[in-house]
Amino acid sequence: NDRYSRVMTSLYGTKCRLLGWRDEFGEQIVEHANNKKIWQNLLDQFPHPYTSEDGRFWIELNRDPKLIGRNFAICVSNVSGESDATYHAVGGISLMTQEGAFRHIVKIGYWLGEAYWGRGIVPEALKMIVEYGFSKEFTELHGTSIERMEACIFDGNAQSEKVLLKNGFTLESLIKKAYLKNGEIRDGKMYVLFRN
C-alpha cells in the first residue's frame, strides 16, 4: 500500500530520537529490556527474562508495514553527530491503533532502560509521539483522525504518572482489579489526552 511507503519513521528531540525498529536494535534492547524493574510495570506481552530471541521476534514483528510509523525505538547517542547510525536503542514507545467504533483512539505504551531513567528522555519521547499521533501524517497513515489518546498504567507507578501529567494527560479513571501481573491482581489507572 502506497500510504505505508510515505510513513514517518524518525522523530527528533534534543535528548533522544524515535527511530523505526532496525535489525541492530534487536540485540541492543536485550541489555535494557531484561530487567525485572521494567517488566513489573508492563503487560505480560513483554517477556521476562527478555532474551536475544525476544529481541529478534520484536524486530521481525515490526517489519509488518502496518506497524511502521506506530512502533518506535527510543534511541540515544553517546557521541555528538547528526547521523541516526550513531544512535542505539534503549527503550520503546508505541501508538496502538484501534478498530471499528474505537478507531479514533490510540493507546500509548512505553518503556526505557533503567540506566537512562531520570534524564528526561521519556517525557520528551512522549511529547514527540503525542504530537505525531495528532498530526496530519498520522491521520493519513491511519485513515482516521485521532481524537483520544489513552495510557493505562498500574496503580503505584508514580514515575509514569509524572510523565503523563507533564505531557497534559489527565486521570480519567481508576480501574479496579484490572490486571493480573506476577500472580497478583492489580488496579490500573487510565490517563487520557484529547485533541482539543
Side-chain angles (χ1 to χ4, degrees), residues 23-148:
D23 287 345
E24 63 269 24
F25 292 165
E27 200 55 46
Q28 291 171 7
I29 62 168
V30 173
E31 111 182 56
H32 302 291
N34 190 28
N35 182 327
K36 195 164 187 176
K37 290 179 187 175
I38 293 169
W39 172 82
Q40 70 189 7
N41 281 306
L42 298 174
L43 298 178
D44 285 347
Q45 293 95 316
F46 194 93
H48 184 74
Y50 196 102
T51 66
S52 294
E53 186 176 320
D54 295 316
R56 285 190 298 275
F57 173 80
W58 181 248
I59 297 302
E60 194 59 38
L61 180 73
N62 279 282
R63 292 188 197 287
D64 182 341
K66 292 181 181 173
L67 294 178
I68 295 171
R70 290 175 168 83
N71 290 335
F72 294 89
I74 299 175
C75 300
V76 298
S77 179
N78 296 328
V79 298
S80 61
E82 291 301 311
S83 170
D84 286 349
T86 66
Y87 281 73
H88 56 277
V90 297
I93 191 163
S94 299
L95 290 170
M96 294 162 274
T97 53
Q98 310 303 298
E99 296 180 3
F102 305 107
R103 66 188 174 277
H104 64 291
I105 300 170
V106 292
K107 296 180 183 290
I108 294 178
Y110 52 85
W111 68 273
L112 183 70
E114 185 179 9
Y116 294 89
W117 293 358
R119 299 187 190 186
I121 293 170
V122 172
E124 181 179 77
L126 184 58
K127 181 179 188 294
M128 288 190 287
I129 207 83
V130 163
E131 289 172 359
Y132 171 60
F134 285 139
S135 73
K136 179 182 174 199
E137 291 83 7
F138 193 77
T139 297
E140 289 174 0
L141 168 67
H142 182 52
T144 302
S145 173
I146 299 304
E147 299 299 323
R148 174 185 169 100

Side-chain angles (χ1 to χ4, degrees), residues 167-190:
N167 276 282
F169 283 75
T170 57
L171 177 63
E172 183 175 76
S173 62
L174 179 64
I175 312 163
K176 300 297 283 180
K177 298 184 179 183
Y179 303 103
L180 176 61
K181 181 70 180 181
N182 202 22
E184 177 186 341
I185 300 290
R186 295 181 65 181
D187 295 341
K189 289 183 174 180
M190 181 181 288

Side-chain angles (χ1 to χ4, degrees), residues 10-19 75 81-82 87 121 124-125 127-128 131:
S10 302
L11 303 171
Y12 298 98
T14 59
K15 297 177 186 208
C16 68
R17 291 183 180 179
L18 305 184
L19 303 176
C75 300
E82 291 301 311
Y87 281 73
I121 293 170
E124 181 179 77
K127 181 179 188 294
M128 288 190 287
E131 289 172 359

